[in-house]
Amino acid sequence: GDSVTQMEGPVTLSEEAFLTINCTYTATGYPSLFWYVQYPGEGLQLLLKATKADDKGSNKGFEATYRKETTSFHLEKGSVQVSDSAVYFCALSDISGGYQKVTFGTGTKLQVIP
Amino acid sequence: SQTIHQWPATLVQPVGSPLSLECTVEGTSNPNLYWYRQAAGRGLQLLFYSVGIGQISSEVPQNLSASRPQDRQFILSSKKLLLSDSGFYLCAWRIGDSGYTFGSGTRLTVV
C-alpha cells in the first residue's frame, strides 16, 4: 500500500537558518503530494502541493519539488522564522479501492529559536 | 465561501462514557468527508470516510463509529470510550485533488 516517510523530529533551528525536512513516499499509482502545517493547538492547513513529476509547490517562502526518480518531496525554506514553529506533515493523495485517499507521514516538529 | 465547523474544541470524558463529535461544512454540496485521529507523538490515522449520505467506510476496526445523516454533516460516535481513544480528532473534506480542508480539531481526553 501507499506510505509516506518523514525525517524524525524534533528539528531545532536558529532564526534565519536554512530548513530541509525530508519526505519520501511509496505509491502504486501517480499520486499528488502535499505538505500540511499544524500550528500549536490548531488543525492542519494545506501549505503547498504538487500534482505531477517535476512540479514545484511553493507558499510562504516554503518550497518542495516532486521528484519521481527519487520518490521524494522534501520541504525547504531559505530562512526560517520563529513563527514557522509547527508540526509539518507530508502527505500523498492516490486512488485506492476506487476512492481518492490521502496518506500522511508521522509529522516533523520544527522549533525555531530566536 | 466554503467553511468547515467542528465542535467541541476540547472534551474530557470518563472511561465507558459515550461520545459524539460533530462536523458540518458550508458552501459546498456532496463533499467527501473524513475523520482522522492524531494520537500523542504519532501521525494522522484515517478513521472513517464518507462519499455521501449514509455511506461510511471504516479504515480501522475499533469501538468508534461514524454517521452521515445529512449531506454536510458527519458525526463521530462511541458507545463506551476507552483510555486509548484519547487524541486529537480532525474532520476534513476534500474537493477534487486540491487537498484537504481541515476543521480546527477536537482534543479528547479520556480519564
Side-chain angles (χ1 to χ4, degrees):
Chain A
D2 296 345
S3 67
V4 176
T5 303
Q6 285 180 242
M7 61 188 294
E8 291 281 334
V11 174
T12 302
L13 296 174
S14 298
E15 207 165 21
E16 299 184 2
F18 185 86
L19 168 71
T20 299
I21 300 179
N22 290 338
C23 171
T24 57
Y25 68 90
T26 59
T28 53
Y30 299 92
S32 296
L33 302 175
F34 306 86
W35 276 101
Y36 286 85
V37 58
Q38 184 181 29
Y39 297 103
E42 299 183 11
L44 273 71
Q45 303 174 28
L46 179 62
L47 180 60
L48 54 84
K49 66 169 183 166
T51 57
K52 61 182 186 298
D54 300 324
D55 270 2
K56 176 184 285 187
S58 62
N59 185 25
K60 299 181 181 179
F62 291 90
E63 292 183 342
T65 301
Y66 189 140
R67 301 288 187 198
K68 188 178 180 181
E69 64 275 15
T70 54
T71 61
S72 65
F73 194 53
H74 305 321
L75 183 68
E76 297 181 337
K77 186 173 184 180
S79 176
V80 293
Q81 305 300 312
V82 173
S83 57
D84 294 327
S85 297
V87 180
Y88 292 82
F89 291 88
C90 185
L92 71 83
S93 174
D94 200 1
I95 300 293
S96 177
Y99 296 105
Q100 188 125 27
K101 296 183 182 178
V102 177
T103 303
F104 287 86
T106 54
T108 302
K109 184 176 182 178
L110 170 65
Q111 184 175 9
V112 181
I113 54 179
Chain B
S1 63
Q2 299 151 342
T3 57
I4 181 167
H5 302 280
Q6 189 179 339
W7 67 91
T10 60
L11 192 60
V12 179
Q13 293 284 98
V15 169
S17 64
L19 172 74
S20 180
L21 302 180
E22 189 161 346
C23 171
T24 59
V25 298
E26 296 178 0
T28 186
S29 60
N30 197 30
N32 291 342
L33 298 174
Y34 304 79
W35 277 111
Y36 280 88
R37 176 171 61 199
Q38 183 181 22
R42 299 177 61 182
L44 288 166
Q45 178 185 38
L46 177 62
L47 302 176
F48 301 95
Y49 66 94
S50 171
V51 299
I53 295 174
Q55 300 179 63
I56 307 294
S57 295
S58 173
E59 288 293 301
V60 182
Q62 55 208 322
N63 69 319
L64 298 171
S65 62
S67 62
R68 188 164 175 180
Q70 301 181 57
D71 181 46
R72 302 172 195 174
Q73 184 183 31
F74 202 25
I75 298 172
L76 182 69
S77 304
S78 174
K79 292 182 179 179
K80 290 185 177 182
L81 283 169
L82 306 174
L83 287 175
S84 57
D85 291 326
S86 294
F88 192 54
Y89 288 82
L90 289 160
C91 179
W93 65 306
R94 180 181 62 78
I95 303 175
D97 200 29
S98 298
Y100 282 163
T101 296
F102 284 87
S104 53
T106 297
R107 185 162 302 283
L108 171 67
T109 304
V110 182
V111 296

